[in-house]
Coordinates of all heavy atoms in Angstrom, one line a residue:
E257 N 10.9 16.9 -34.7 CA 9.9 17.0 -35.7 C 8.8 15.9 -35.5 O 7.6 16.3 -35.4 CB 10.5 16.8 -37.0 CG 9.6 16.9 -38.2 CD 9.1 18.4 -38.4 OE1 9.8 19.3 -38.0 OE2 8.0 18.5 -39.1
Q258 N 9.1 14.7 -35.5 CA 8.2 13.6 -35.4 C 7.0 13.7 -36.3 O 5.8 13.6 -35.9 CB 7.7 13.4 -33.9 CG 9.0 13.0 -33.0 CD 8.6 12.6 -31.7 OE1 7.8 11.7 -31.5 NE2 9.2 13.2 -30.7
A259 N 7.2 14.1 -37.6 CA 6.1 14.3 -38.5 C 5.4 13.0 -38.9 O 4.2 13.0 -39.3 CB 6.7 14.9 -39.8
A260 N 6.1 11.9 -38.8 CA 5.6 10.6 -39.0 C 5.2 10.3 -40.4 O 4.4 9.4 -40.8 CB 4.3 10.4 -38.1
D261 N 5.6 11.2 -41.4 CA 5.3 10.9 -42.8 C 5.9 9.6 -43.2 O 5.3 8.9 -44.1 CB 5.9 12.0 -43.7 CG 5.3 13.4 -43.5 OD1 4.5 13.5 -42.5 OD2 5.5 14.3 -44.3
C262 N 7.0 9.2 -42.6 CA 7.6 7.9 -43.0 C 6.6 6.7 -42.7 O 6.8 5.6 -43.4 CB 8.9 7.7 -42.2 SG 8.7 7.8 -40.4
L263 N 5.8 6.7 -41.7 CA 5.0 5.6 -41.4 C 4.2 5.1 -42.6 O 4.2 3.9 -42.9 CB 4.0 5.9 -40.2 CG 4.6 6.1 -38.9 CD1 3.5 6.3 -37.9 CD2 5.5 4.9 -38.4
D264 N 3.5 6.0 -43.3 CA 2.7 5.6 -44.4 C 3.5 5.1 -45.6 O 3.0 4.5 -46.5 CB 1.8 6.7 -44.8 CG 0.7 6.9 -43.8 OD1 0.4 6.0 -43.0 OD2 0.1 8.0 -43.7
S265 N 4.8 5.6 -45.7 CA 5.5 5.2 -46.9 C 6.2 3.8 -46.8 O 6.6 3.3 -47.8 CB 6.7 6.3 -47.0 OG 7.7 6.1 -46.0
C266 N 6.3 3.3 -45.6 CA 7.0 2.0 -45.4 C 6.1 0.8 -45.9 O 5.1 0.5 -45.2 CB 7.4 1.9 -44.0 SG 8.4 0.4 -43.7
P267 N 6.6 0.1 -46.9 CA 5.9 -1.1 -47.4 C 5.8 -2.2 -46.4 O 5.0 -3.2 -46.6 CB 6.5 -1.4 -48.6 CG 7.9 -1.0 -48.5 CD 7.8 0.2 -47.6
V268 N 6.7 -2.3 -45.4 CA 6.7 -3.4 -44.5 C 6.4 -3.1 -43.1 O 6.6 -3.9 -42.2 CB 8.1 -4.2 -44.6 CG1 8.3 -4.8 -46.0 CG2 9.3 -3.2 -44.3
D269 N 5.9 -1.9 -42.9 CA 5.5 -1.4 -41.5 C 6.5 -1.6 -40.4 O 6.2 -2.2 -39.3 CB 4.2 -2.3 -41.1 CG 3.0 -1.6 -41.5 OD1 3.0 -0.4 -41.8 OD2 1.9 -2.1 -41.5
C270 N 7.7 -1.2 -40.7 CA 8.8 -1.5 -39.7 C 9.2 -0.3 -38.9 O 10.3 -0.3 -38.2 CB 10.0 -2.2 -40.3 SG 10.9 -1.2 -41.5
I271 N 8.4 0.8 -39.0 CA 8.8 2.0 -38.3 C 7.8 2.2 -37.1 O 6.6 2.1 -37.2 CB 8.7 3.3 -39.2 CG1 9.5 3.1 -40.4 CG2 9.0 4.6 -38.5 CD1 9.4 4.2 -41.5
E272 N 8.4 2.4 -35.9 CA 7.6 2.5 -34.7 C 7.9 3.8 -33.9 O 9.1 4.3 -34.1 CB 7.9 1.3 -33.8 CG 7.2 0.0 -34.3 CD 7.4 -1.1 -33.3 OE1 7.5 -0.9 -32.0 OE2 7.5 -2.3 -33.7
K273 N 6.9 4.2 -33.2 CA 7.2 5.4 -32.3 C 7.9 5.0 -31.1 O 7.4 4.1 -30.3 CB 5.9 6.1 -32.0 CG 6.0 7.4 -31.4 CD 4.7 8.2 -31.3 CE 4.8 9.6 -30.9 NZ 5.9 10.0 -30.1
G274 N 9.0 5.6 -30.8 CA 9.7 5.4 -29.5 C 9.4 6.5 -28.6 O 8.4 7.2 -28.8
E275 N 10.2 6.6 -27.5 CA 10.0 7.6 -26.5 C 10.0 9.0 -27.0 O 9.3 9.9 -26.7 CB 10.9 7.4 -25.3 CG 10.4 7.7 -24.0 CD 11.2 7.1 -22.9 OE1 11.0 5.9 -22.6 OE2 12.1 7.8 -22.4
D276 N 11.1 9.3 -27.8 CA 11.3 10.6 -28.3 C 11.5 10.8 -29.8 O 11.8 11.8 -30.3 CB 12.5 11.2 -27.5 CG 13.8 10.5 -27.8 OD1 13.7 9.4 -28.4 OD2 14.8 10.9 -27.4
Q277 N 11.3 9.7 -30.5 CA 11.5 9.8 -32.0 C 10.9 8.5 -32.6 O 10.5 7.6 -31.9 CB 13.0 9.8 -32.3 CG 13.7 8.5 -31.9 CD 15.1 8.4 -32.7 OE1 16.1 8.4 -32.0 NE2 15.1 8.3 -34.0
Y278 N 10.8 8.5 -33.9 CA 10.4 7.3 -34.6 C 11.7 6.4 -34.9 O 12.8 7.0 -35.0 CB 9.7 7.6 -35.9 CG 8.2 8.1 -35.6 CD1 8.0 9.4 -35.3 CD2 7.2 7.2 -35.6 CE1 6.7 9.8 -35.0 CE2 5.9 7.6 -35.3 CZ 5.6 8.9 -35.0 OH 4.4 9.3 -34.7
L279 N 11.5 5.1 -34.9 CA 12.7 4.3 -35.2 C 12.4 3.2 -36.1 O 11.2 2.7 -36.2 CB 13.1 3.6 -33.8 CG 13.5 4.6 -32.8 CD1 12.5 4.5 -31.6 CD2 14.9 4.3 -32.2
I280 N 13.4 2.7 -36.9 CA 13.2 1.7 -37.9 C 13.8 0.3 -37.4 O 14.9 0.3 -36.9 CB 14.0 2.1 -39.2 CG1 13.3 3.3 -39.8 CG2 14.0 0.9 -40.2 CD1 14.2 3.9 -41.0
D281 N 12.9 -0.7 -37.4 CA 13.4 -2.0 -37.1 C 14.4 -2.6 -38.1 O 13.9 -2.8 -39.2 CB 12.2 -3.0 -36.9 CG 12.6 -4.3 -36.3 OD1 13.8 -4.7 -36.5 OD2 11.6 -5.0 -35.8
P282 N 15.6 -2.7 -37.7 CA 16.7 -3.0 -38.7 C 16.5 -4.5 -39.2 O 17.1 -4.9 -40.2 CB 17.9 -2.8 -38.0 CG 17.6 -2.8 -36.5 CD 16.2 -2.3 -36.4
T283 N 15.7 -5.3 -38.5 CA 15.6 -6.7 -38.9 C 14.5 -6.9 -39.9 O 14.4 -7.9 -40.6 CB 15.3 -7.6 -37.7 OG1 14.0 -7.3 -37.1 CG2 16.4 -7.5 -36.6
I284 N 13.7 -5.8 -40.0 CA 12.5 -6.0 -41.0 C 12.7 -5.0 -42.3 O 12.3 -5.4 -43.3 CB 11.2 -5.6 -40.3 CG1 11.0 -6.5 -39.1 CG2 10.0 -5.7 -41.3 CD1 9.7 -6.2 -38.3
C285 N 13.4 -3.9 -42.0 CA 13.6 -2.9 -43.1 C 14.2 -3.6 -44.4 O 15.1 -4.4 -44.3 CB 14.6 -1.8 -42.7 SG 15.1 -0.7 -43.9
I286 N 13.6 -3.3 -45.5 CA 14.1 -3.9 -46.8 C 14.9 -2.9 -47.6 O 15.1 -3.1 -48.8 CB 12.9 -4.5 -47.6 CG1 11.9 -3.3 -47.9 CG2 12.2 -5.7 -46.9 CD1 10.8 -3.7 -48.9
D287 N 15.4 -1.9 -47.0 CA 16.3 -0.9 -47.7 C 15.7 -0.3 -48.9 O 16.4 -0.1 -49.9 CB 17.6 -1.5 -48.0 CG 18.3 -2.0 -46.8 OD1 17.9 -1.6 -45.6 OD2 19.3 -2.8 -46.9
C288 N 14.4 0.0 -49.0 CA 13.7 0.5 -50.2 C 14.0 2.0 -50.3 O 13.9 2.5 -51.4 CB 12.3 0.2 -50.2 SG 11.3 1.2 -49.0
G289 N 14.2 2.7 -49.2 CA 14.5 4.2 -49.3 C 13.2 5.0 -49.4 O 13.4 6.2 -49.4
A290 N 12.0 4.4 -49.3 CA 10.8 5.2 -49.4 C 10.7 6.2 -48.3 O 10.2 7.4 -48.6 CB 9.6 4.3 -49.5
C291 N 11.0 5.9 -47.1 CA 10.9 6.7 -45.9 C 11.9 7.9 -46.1 O 11.6 9.1 -45.7 CB 11.2 6.0 -44.7 SG 12.8 5.1 -44.6
E292 N 13.1 7.7 -46.6 CA 14.0 8.7 -46.7 C 13.5 9.9 -47.6 O 13.7 11.0 -47.3 CB 15.4 8.1 -47.3 CG 16.4 9.2 -47.5 CD 17.6 8.6 -48.3 OE1 17.4 7.7 -49.1 OE2 18.8 9.0 -48.1
A293 N 12.8 9.4 -48.6 CA 12.3 10.4 -49.6 C 11.2 11.3 -49.0 O 11.1 12.4 -49.5 CB 11.8 9.6 -50.8
V294 N 10.5 10.8 -48.1 CA 9.4 11.6 -47.6 C 9.6 12.4 -46.3 O 8.9 13.2 -45.8 CB 8.1 10.8 -47.4 CG1 7.7 10.2 -48.7 CG2 8.3 9.7 -46.3
C295 N 10.7 12.1 -45.6 CA 11.1 12.8 -44.4 C 11.3 14.3 -44.6 O 12.2 14.7 -45.3 CB 12.3 12.2 -43.7 SG 12.7 13.0 -42.2
P296 N 10.4 15.1 -43.9 CA 10.5 16.6 -44.1 C 11.7 17.3 -43.5 O 12.1 18.3 -43.9 CB 9.2 17.1 -43.5 CG 8.9 16.1 -42.4 CD 9.3 14.8 -43.0
V297 N 12.4 16.5 -42.7 CA 13.6 17.1 -42.0 C 14.9 16.3 -42.3 O 16.0 16.5 -41.7 CB 13.5 17.2 -40.5 CG1 12.4 18.3 -40.1 CG2 13.1 15.9 -39.9
D298 N 14.9 15.5 -43.3 CA 16.0 14.8 -43.8 C 16.7 14.0 -42.6 O 18.0 14.0 -42.5 CB 17.0 15.6 -44.5 CG 16.4 16.2 -45.8 OD1 15.7 15.5 -46.4 OD2 16.9 17.3 -46.2
A299 N 15.9 13.3 -41.8 CA 16.5 12.6 -40.7 C 16.9 11.2 -41.0 O 17.5 10.6 -40.1 CB 15.5 12.6 -39.6
I300 N 16.5 10.7 -42.2 CA 16.6 9.3 -42.5 C 17.8 9.0 -43.5 O 17.9 9.7 -44.5 CB 15.4 8.6 -43.0 CG1 14.2 9.0 -42.0 CG2 15.5 7.2 -43.1 CD1 12.9 8.5 -42.4
F301 N 18.7 8.1 -43.0 CA 19.8 7.8 -43.9 C 20.0 6.2 -44.0 O 19.7 5.5 -43.0 CB 21.2 8.3 -43.2 CG 21.3 9.8 -43.1 CD1 20.7 10.4 -41.9 CD2 21.8 10.5 -44.1 CE1 20.8 11.8 -41.8 CE2 21.9 11.9 -44.0 CZ 21.4 12.6 -42.8
Y302 N 20.6 5.8 -45.1 CA 21.1 4.4 -45.2 C 22.2 4.2 -44.1 O 23.0 5.2 -43.9 CB 21.6 4.1 -46.6 CG 22.0 2.7 -46.7 CD1 21.0 1.6 -46.4 CD2 23.2 2.3 -47.2 CE1 21.3 0.3 -46.7 CE2 23.5 0.9 -47.4 CZ 22.6 0.0 -47.1 OH 22.9 -1.4 -47.2
E303 N 22.2 3.1 -43.4 CA 23.1 2.9 -42.3 C 24.5 3.4 -42.6 O 25.2 4.0 -41.8 CB 23.0 1.5 -41.9 CG 23.9 1.2 -40.5 CD 23.6 -0.2 -40.0 OE1 22.5 -0.7 -40.2 OE2 24.5 -0.7 -39.3

Side-chain angles (χ1 to χ4, degrees):
E257 183 70 23
Q258 298 190 52
D261 292 13
C262 55
L263 287 187
D264 288 339
S265 73
C266 182
V268 292
D269 267 346
C270 67
I271 305 174
E272 286 185 27
K273 191 171 188 335
E275 211 162 278
D276 61 352
Q277 67 163 113
Y278 286 86
L279 300 114
I280 295 170
D281 186 336
T283 65
I284 301 176
C285 176
I286 56 170
D287 298 346
C288 71
C291 56
E292 178 189 29
V294 299
C295 179
V297 290
D298 294 330
I300 308 178
F301 297 88
Y302 185 54
E303 187 171 334

